[in-house]
Structure formats: C-alpha cells, structure tokens
Amino acid sequence: MKDLTKAEEQVMKYLWKLEKAFLKDIVEQFPEPKPAYTTISTVIRTLVTKKFISFNVYGRIKEYYPLISKEQYFKSHFKGVVKNFFSGSVSKFAFFFTKDEDLNVSELEEMKQMIEDKIELLKKQND
C-alpha cells in the first residue's frame, strides 16, 4: 500500500469520519482558513488514482467514499514503521515505548494485560 502525503492523510481522516461526502463537505471539515476547493479537488483526484477512494456520480457532482478503512491503512503504515525503524521487530518497537517516561503504571499494566490475553488466545488456538 502506498504512503499518503500529509494533505492526503488529512482528507482521508475527514472522509473516514464522514464515510461518504461531497467535495464541499470535505472542505467544510478543514479549520479556518479553509483550503481552496481546487486544492482539495486535486488531492482527491490523487487519492482516486492511488485507489484509496472512489466515488458515485450524481449528474455532474461526485460523492466520495473510502475504499480502504482507517484500520487497514494504519496497520500497513505501522508495519512500515516497525520495518524501517525497528528492524522489523515488534518487540523492539514495544520496548521503545516501555522506556518512554510518559507511560504511567496503569498504562503499562493495561499493555501487560493485553499481551497476556493474546498469549492465552494463541495457546488455546494451538491446543
């Protein structure tokens, strides 16, 4: 899956939120000063070309919708980060965050519980 530019990610974020939207609906999501319709239209055409979004046509107006869920994009993007910055090791990625002094005990306990739950699930599947 191709990476998105910041502008493309922003449009996708709004489209994921709206689920279906016309150009004017997407532009309305932006904070002031809002970008020009032509700018967002160009970004949308690129997203169509990259097959991230598609559209329905109503006369001369297009209604856009995502072809890829936020979760699919994040998962793909996350794998790239792990591969590029942590030698493909999810455990190195996790260790990176355990060193983060902003994590409190309850957050670490929650992470620990999620890992233990996943281990139990995998054990049951392998039995």
Side-chain angles (χ1 to χ4, degrees), residues 55-110:
F55 55 87
N56 295 315
V57 179
Y58 302 101
R60 294 180 53 203
I61 299 175
K62 295 177 182 174
E63 181 184 44
Y64 300 97
Y65 57 91
L67 292 173
I68 294 171
S69 72
K70 188 176 186 179
E71 292 75 22
Q72 287 171 307
Y73 178 70
F74 180 77
K75 188 175 183 179
S76 173
H77 194 65
F78 174 76
K79 284 181 179 180
V81 169
V82 171
K83 180 181 176 189
N84 293 331
F85 295 100
F86 299 96
S87 306
S89 170
V90 175
S91 59
K92 285 181 184 177
F93 175 78
F95 181 70
F96 172 80
F97 282 100
T98 61
K99 294 189 313 183
D100 186 344
E101 55 194 70
D102 290 340
L103 290 175
N104 61 41
V105 172
S106 66
E107 290 171 320
L108 289 168
E109 289 285 347
E110 187 178 344

Side-chain angles (χ1 to χ4, degrees), residues 5 7-8 11 38-48 53:
T5 66
E8 292 166 349
V11 168
T38 53
T39 302
I40 302 307
S41 181
T42 300
V43 172
I44 287 173
R45 276 196 307 275
T46 303
L47 288 168
V48 169
I53 66 175

Side-chain angles (χ1 to χ4, degrees), residues 4-21:
L4 298 175
T5 66
K6 292 286 184 198
E8 292 166 349
E9 271 189 15
Q10 190 63 56
V11 168
M12 286 302 298
K13 211 159 82 169
Y14 294 143
L15 200 50
W16 283 320
K17 179 179 146 190
L18 296 169
E19 296 180 8
K20 286 185 175 184

